[in-house]
Amino acid sequence: DAKTTQPTSMDCAEGRAANLPCNHSTISGNEYVYWYRQIHSQGPQYIIHGLKNNETNEMASLIITEDRKSSTLILPHATLRDTAVYYCIVRVPYYGGATNKLIFGTGTLLAVQP
Amino acid sequence: EAGVAQSPRYKIIEKRQSVAFWCNPISGHATLYWYQQILGQGPKLLIQFQNNGVVDDSQLPKDRFSAERLKGVDSTLKIQPAKLEDSAVYLCASSLDPTGYGNFGNGTRLTVT
């Protein structure tokens, strides 16, 4: 089962920041938080990941709380093309950390409004 | 860099028929995954390969699903015989190694009637 909880849907105005929350209260110390998004009729697209520290790349910023029980994905200036389902995933290591498993939940449908 | 290629894009079959999906991962990616995504749900991992060996197939319904990656590059996923509940998008993903994030293809949408 997925180890994350996300709102089913959110709206955001074009040009404004989109803040997508995620709860992962049972996360373990060596488990990373990953974010993917899936635009209609396409495969999931990797956005960003983090362990403890906040992370930023060209697509988004990831803010992880100090206790690591929740995180927020921030799209600084949302556009209509950012309309998609956003998945927050706790990456679970197994086989002694030699490999990892992504367990997707149902995600958050972000609708960017003009 | 070319992405993960999948074919066909769409497939419609009748129940009890057979079907096969093909995946060509990103060049040099040793790890390959097949996921099943039912409408309204997130993708579910079916099988993971490392080169041509199976790492995890615990979620693969082995009575009807099979997958292979004979030369450690391309992979095929087969369903025989198909059931109505197999209607879904089948996604292939690849990564450089098992600890990397996956690059996904756009999937094959299967409709079983």
Side-chain angles (χ1 to χ4, degrees):
Chain A
D1 290 343
K3 299 183 67 172
T4 61
T5 304
Q6 299 177 254
T8 302
S9 63
M10 293 180 62
D11 287 346
C12 177
E14 189 177 19
R16 304 295 293 270
N19 298 280
L20 292 92
C22 179
N23 287 321
H24 31 79
S25 58
T26 62
I27 195 169
S28 299
N30 62 346
E31 293 175 343
Y32 283 75
V33 178
Y34 277 70
W35 283 83
Y36 281 75
R37 73 179 183 183
Q38 188 171 25
I39 296 170
H40 183 62
S41 296
Q42 296 182 21
Q45 175 191 23
Y46 166 81
I47 301 173
I48 198 168
H49 73 279
L51 183 63
K52 297 180 182 178
N53 300 320
N54 298 337
E55 302 288 345
T56 296
N57 63 21
E58 64 279 4
M59 289 184 68
S61 295
L62 174 59
I63 309 298
I64 302 175
T65 58
E66 192 170 343
D67 64 6
R68 302 211 324 121
K69 291 185 177 182
S70 66
S71 60
T72 301
L73 179 75
I74 302 172
L75 307 178
H77 305 287
T79 70
L80 298 178
R81 287 175 293 182
D82 292 321
T83 292
V85 176
Y86 287 76
Y87 295 100
C88 170
I89 302 160
V90 170
R91 186 155 197 166
V92 179
Y94 62 111
Y95 294 149
T99 190
N100 300 269
K101 183 179 293 188
L102 290 174
I103 302 175
F104 287 79
T106 53
T108 296
L109 174 60
L110 175 69
V112 180
Q113 309 291 343
Chain B
E1 136 182 291
V4 175
Q6 291 189 247
S7 66
R9 191 75 172 91
Y10 303 94
K11 189 74 176 179
I12 301 174
I13 61 171
E14 296 182 351
K15 60 184 179 184
R16 291 186 289 273
Q17 286 187 324
S18 302
V19 65
F21 313 123
W22 175 81
C23 172
N24 181 231
I26 293 174
S27 177
H29 280 196
T31 308
L32 186 146
Y33 312 82
W34 282 101
Y35 287 81
Q36 178 192 59
Q37 186 172 24
I38 293 171
L39 187 64
Q41 299 181 17
K44 183 183 83 171
L45 180 67
L46 292 176
I47 189 167
Q48 177 183 347
F49 290 94
Q50 180 65 18
N51 295 310
N52 60 350
V54 175
V55 174
D56 181 7
D57 63 357
S58 58
Q59 298 297 306
L60 188 73
K62 299 180 187 64
D63 57 332
R64 298 183 300 105
F65 286 65
S66 64
E68 60 183 14
R69 193 183 184 202
L70 292 175
K71 297 182 179 179
V73 181
D74 294 3
S75 177
T76 56
L77 177 69
K78 297 179 182 178
I79 307 175
Q80 181 180 12
K83 294 185 176 181
L84 296 176
E85 58 260 37
D86 297 332
S87 293
V89 175
Y90 290 86
L91 294 159
C92 179
S94 70
S95 61
L96 276 172
D97 57 52
T99 62
Y101 64 83
N103 297 271
F104 283 80
N106 286 328
T108 296
R109 180 176 298 277
L110 174 68
T111 302
V112 182
T113 63

